[in-house]
Amino acid sequence: MSDFDVVIIGGGPGGYVAALRAAQLGMRTALVERDRVGGLCLNWGCIPSKALLWNAEIVNLVRQGDTWGIVYDNLRLDPARAVDRSRKVVDRMVSGVEFLLQKRGVTLIQGSGKLAGAGVVAVDGQEVRGDAVIIATGARPRSLPGVEVDGEVVLTSREALELRETPQRVVIVGGGPIGCEFAYYWRAYGAEVTILEMLDHLLPLEDADVSAQVERAFKKQGIAFRTGARVAAVERGKGGATVRFSAGGKDEAVEADKVLMGVGFQPNTEDLGLEAAGVETDRGWVRVDAELRTTAPGVYAIGDVTGRLMLAHVASAMGVYVVERLAGLQPPPLEYEKMPRATYCQPQVGSVGLTEAQARERGHDVRVGRFPFRANGKAVATEHTDGMIKVVADAATGEILGVHLVGPDATELLAEATLGLTLESTPRELGWVVHAHPTLSEAVKEAALAVDGEAIHFID
């Protein structure tokens, strides 16, 4: 008999959630983690960054004190205390996960695990056997070819989260979620920020209307950005760096005290014994089928290490899916296009489903409804009127294909849109739902009604 029903390598949001669900289902479960449970997300990603972004929101509210009738003198901002608070938040969350693992009876094994035969995981010389093995080792920030991350001037998000002093000048390479979030945070504390994005828009994977709204908001905030900018080199100099790039057919350069590389991730698949175990990879990412099985019998992979959709909540959903199937349950298939996506700069961005351009490319007869937050009573009352909600629907079937939000609390409002897509709702059904007044969520109802030209509080 194996020691365990399932052995999970990696304790991030994919691995630890899989472990908790497996134990909940009565499975003998081992979780192997070389560092702290929670992975990149809890320790050096989602959680500490959101703590810092909340600090940035408070700072910006204070700066707008005249609007609220608040008068002050000698404002002093201390980013070091914001960082200290973020680390306390991390410790609290990690302790909570450790408590849950203990209470559920999960065996937590500290060390580096690797495949060492059928159903065998070697952990620093110790062998652990499981009927099934789940690889959940995640990914880590990468850099551009030829650009060395030194942790002092050229940073990844990992080092940026510990930066206790606000740099005067920051260049961020990459205008995706990480780049936009750090741009908002540093700008709130007074840094001169420049984003260099290779594609045509900031947040290039979002709907074009959403990206345009974020770009307008960033201009108002004083965040500089260049799109269509390809970085050629980052040259270290005395006390900073020169970032050389090309844009619009011209070679340019910008000086910085700190350079943040926000260009994506690379998989943590080194020293896992994958090749010897028969687990195939594609440029380092573990290959899996629709049921998250690898090419080795009894071995599964979940989360960022698969390269499927690199979001913490997707990793968690993958983990639950695998262990429920191992337990003999029949969970619904994972539909990655219906997974929500969120960016936490201000204005916030949330999206689920197809963009308008993607829907048209797939041949849908598209109908679109939009509702701006400037027409929403709660948004006006709180002076958060930048942004809008956009519903993309199929004209023939009425099915909602995508919902895209940019504005106040967009990441929280996103849940209703995600539920709507999961239940294959139509705009009319969303429009029937009575929303409390005054709330930001009324904008979701109005955007749905706008698909048929029936929005009550806005005329397009």
Side-chain angles (χ1 to χ4, degrees):
M1 179 181 290
S2 298
D3 300 326
F4 298 96
D5 296 312
V6 60
V7 177
I8 303 164
I9 307 174
Y16 86 73
V17 169
L20 290 172
R21 180 60 176 144
Q24 192 178 54
L25 292 169
M27 302 171 72
R28 297 167 299 151
T29 306
L31 179 63
V32 180
E33 173 53 54
R34 65 184 179 186
D35 197 353
R36 302 176 80 192
V37 295
L40 182 68
C41 176
L42 261 67
N43 290 284
W44 298 108
C46 318
I47 299 303
S49 65
K50 302 313 162 281
L52 293 178
L53 287 165
W54 176 240
N55 269 81
E57 287 188 49
I58 294 173
V59 167
N60 279 331
L61 284 172
V62 170
R63 289 188 187 279
Q64 299 161 9
D66 283 349
T67 301
W68 322 112
I70 299 171
V71 180
Y72 55 85
D73 295 308
N74 303 317
L75 175 66
R76 187 173 68 88
L77 304 178
D78 187 354
R81 292 187 64 177
V83 171
D84 290 341
R85 190 185 74 85
S86 75
R87 300 320 303 168
K88 290 178 182 178
V89 170
V90 167
D91 290 341
R92 180 176 176 180
M93 295 297 295
V94 170
S95 295
V97 172
E98 291 172 340
F99 172 80
L100 289 172
L101 292 169
Q102 181 183 12
K103 286 298 183 181
R104 290 269 171 85
V106 175
T107 300
L108 180 59
I109 302 173
Q110 203 76 35
S112 297
K114 65 182 297 183
L115 301 177
V120 179
V121 176
V123 186
D124 298 337
Q126 172 190 0
E127 285 194 349
V128 182
R129 298 180 179 273
D131 294 336
V133 175
I134 300 175
I135 300 168
T137 50
R140 63 188 184 278
R142 68 176 181 89
S143 185
L144 293 175
V147 178
E148 179 185 356
V149 173
D150 58 25
E152 295 180 3
V153 174
V154 184
L155 316 174
T156 67
S157 56
R158 167 68 170 78
E159 294 84 25
L161 288 168
E162 291 185 290
L163 207 58
R164 300 177 65 80
E165 294 182 1
T166 302
Q168 182 178 344
R169 302 167 302 170
V170 182
V171 170
I172 299 174
V173 182
I178 290 175
C180 287
E181 289 181 0
F182 272 103
Y184 173 75
Y185 167 64
W186 276 323
R187 182 59 186 157
Y189 279 89
E192 297 176 12
V193 181
T194 302
I195 305 173
L196 300 177
E197 168 54 47
M198 184 176 66
L199 298 179
D200 294 335
H201 291 285
L202 297 181
L203 299 177
L205 299 183
E206 298 294 342
D207 189 273
D209 287 344
V210 168
S211 295
Q213 290 268 0
V214 172
E215 289 171 356
R216 284 195 290 271
F218 273 19
K219 285 179 181 178
K220 287 198 296 185
Q221 294 171 29
I223 297 171
F225 58 88
R226 297 294 300 277
T227 56
R230 185 177 295 273
V231 172
V234 178
E235 300 171 356
R236 285 285 307 271
K238 187 176 180 180
T242 301
V243 182
R244 302 194 182 280
F245 66 98
S246 60
K250 296 181 179 180
D251 293 334
E252 302 183 47
V254 60
E255 304 293 327
D257 301 305
K258 303 289 183 183
V259 179
L260 172 65
M261 305 304 296
V263 293
F265 293 85
Q266 59 189 20
N268 294 323
T269 48
E270 301 88 353
D271 302 320
L272 285 177
L274 299 182
E275 185 176 356
V279 175
E280 294 181 6
T281 59
D282 179 7
R283 294 171 297 168
W285 307 101
V286 178
R287 291 182 56 191
V288 291
D289 64 12
E291 296 178 358
L292 301 173
R293 294 175 295 205
T294 72
T295 50
V299 180
Y300 300 79
I302 61 174
D304 289 359
V305 76
T306 69
R308 283 285 178 94
L309 184 56
M310 301 175 67
L311 299 169
H313 49 276
V314 175
S316 298
M318 288 174 157
V320 170
Y321 176 84
V322 169
V323 297
E324 287 188 351
R325 286 189 62 85
L326 289 173
L329 303 180
Q330 295 296 321
L334 296 172
E335 297 183 77
Y336 298 103
E337 286 186 344
K338 293 184 179 180
M339 299 287 184
R341 305 173 296 276
T343 303
Y344 296 82
C345 57
Q346 290 294 339
Q348 290 186 2
V349 173
S351 60
V352 61
L354 302 180
T355 67
E356 181 180 355
Q358 289 171 335
R360 294 190 188 281
E361 287 169 3
R362 297 191 187 186
H364 290 281
D365 181 9
V366 172
R367 299 181 73 173
V368 172
R370 297 178 180 85
F371 189 81
F373 278 107
R374 68 177 185 273
N376 174 269
K378 178 68 177 294
V380 173
T382 59
E383 295 282 345
H384 289 96
T385 55
D386 280 348
M388 55 102 191
I389 296 179
K390 177 178 179 177
V391 176
V392 179
D394 186 288
T397 65
E399 182 182 356
I400 295 174
L401 303 173
V403 181
H404 307 277
L405 309 89
V406 54
D409 287 339
T411 58
E412 299 294 336
L413 299 175
L414 181 58
E416 180 178 0
T418 304
L419 179 63
L421 260 72
T422 299
L423 298 179
E424 299 181 350
S425 300
T426 65
R428 186 161 295 278
E429 288 168 336
L430 270 187
W432 284 336
V433 178
V434 177
H435 290 66
H437 176 76
T439 60
L440 296 173
S441 66
E442 290 176 281
V444 178
K445 172 187 178 76
E446 293 271 19
L449 290 171
V451 172
D452 293 318
E454 296 178 357
I456 301 298
H457 292 93
F458 181 72
I459 299 173
D460 194 352

